[in-house]
Amino acid sequence: KYSIFELDSKEKLLLFDKKKIKYGQFQKNKIIKYLENDCSAILIHNKTEIMHIRWMAFTRKSKKYLEPWKINFNYGRDAVWGDAYTLPKYRNNKLNSISINNCLKYLRNKKIKRVFLSVKRSNKININSYKNFNTNLYCKSIKIKFLGKNFYFNYNIYNS
């Protein structure tokens, strides 16, 4: 049994705190940092702990914080999501698909038309779950670390 919680402000985080749900690996200070950077999240929890979280961005500030790669992004029409995580003991319970469905409902209510996301090539389970949602490959990227900074390069651009 699980519940869905839409988290998009510190005020909602205070409401969530009243549920007495454990944060566990989902560090509260990290959640606050995302909220301070205008990110929103879908949380999936049971009666005792957070099981899964997926972050979304709608503004220049939140997009830059959540996903640093460069894309043609129309603020107000497009969104980006990322940093999804499921506790290992809850994996293989379709929480990722449940999260995606709830994010899509949330985004439709905000009149968002397109969503961009990134997935590590090694994350085959996540890649396969996105195949069920009529996704198109926009680009592939590589990350190069140089002098302590990350640089992202897009290549093989496809349909947007």
Side-chain angles (χ1 to χ4, degrees):
K1 180 91 171 120
Y2 63 86
S3 297
I4 306 294
F5 191 84
E6 294 175 358
L7 180 62
D8 56 15
S9 67
K10 286 185 181 178
E11 292 76 23
K12 283 204 178 166
L13 186 60
L14 292 173
L15 290 175
F16 184 77
D17 282 343
K18 290 181 180 179
K19 295 176 178 276
K20 306 277 191 244
I21 306 292
K22 293 178 192 166
Y23 286 89
Q25 284 183 260
F26 302 95
Q27 299 162 0
K28 187 175 180 180
N29 61 342
K30 187 175 179 183
I31 290 172
I32 290 169
K33 189 76 170 163
Y34 276 99
L35 293 172
E36 288 173 345
N37 281 282
D38 298 336
C39 296
S40 299
I42 294 294
L43 295 175
I44 301 176
H45 64 91
N46 57 25
K47 291 181 181 182
T48 59
E49 66 185 339
I50 298 172
M51 304 159 69
H52 174 91
I53 193 166
R54 180 179 309 275
W55 289 99
M56 297 171 282
F58 310 99
T59 65
R60 188 176 311 276
K61 179 180 179 182
S62 60
K63 191 262 175 218
K64 186 177 179 181
Y65 185 76
L66 184 60
E67 290 288 358
W69 36 267
K70 303 233 184 300
I71 56 170
N72 292 328
F73 194 81
N74 183 334
Y75 297 97
R77 189 190 89 183
D78 297 340
V80 65
W81 73 39
D83 281 0
Y85 184 75
T86 304
L87 287 178
K89 66 183 175 182
Y90 297 114
R91 293 180 183 163
N92 300 316
N93 288 308
K94 306 222 181 268
L95 293 180
N96 197 38
S97 292
I98 292 164
S99 170
I100 292 170
N101 276 319
N102 280 275
C103 282
L104 291 172
K105 287 179 200 172
Y106 182 85
L107 295 171
R108 271 188 227 107
N109 288 338
K110 291 182 123 337
K111 308 290 188 238
I112 299 296
K113 302 294 183 202
R114 290 189 306 177
V115 179
F116 295 92
L117 56 109
S118 65
V119 180
K120 290 181 182 173
R121 192 177 315 195
S122 61
N123 193 343
K124 301 293 185 205
I125 292 171
N126 210 5
I127 291 169
N128 287 335
S129 67
Y130 285 121
K131 288 179 181 176
N132 298 324
F133 289 93
N134 193 23
T135 55
N136 294 320
L137 179 63
Y138 176 73
C139 69
K140 293 183 179 181
S141 298
I142 57 171
K143 178 173 92 172
I144 298 173
K145 192 166 191 160
F146 181 70
L147 297 175
K149 296 198 183 248
N150 292 326
F151 295 90
Y152 295 85
F153 299 93
N154 295 335
Y155 63 94
N156 295 340
I157 304 293
Y158 298 102
N159 301 340
S160 67

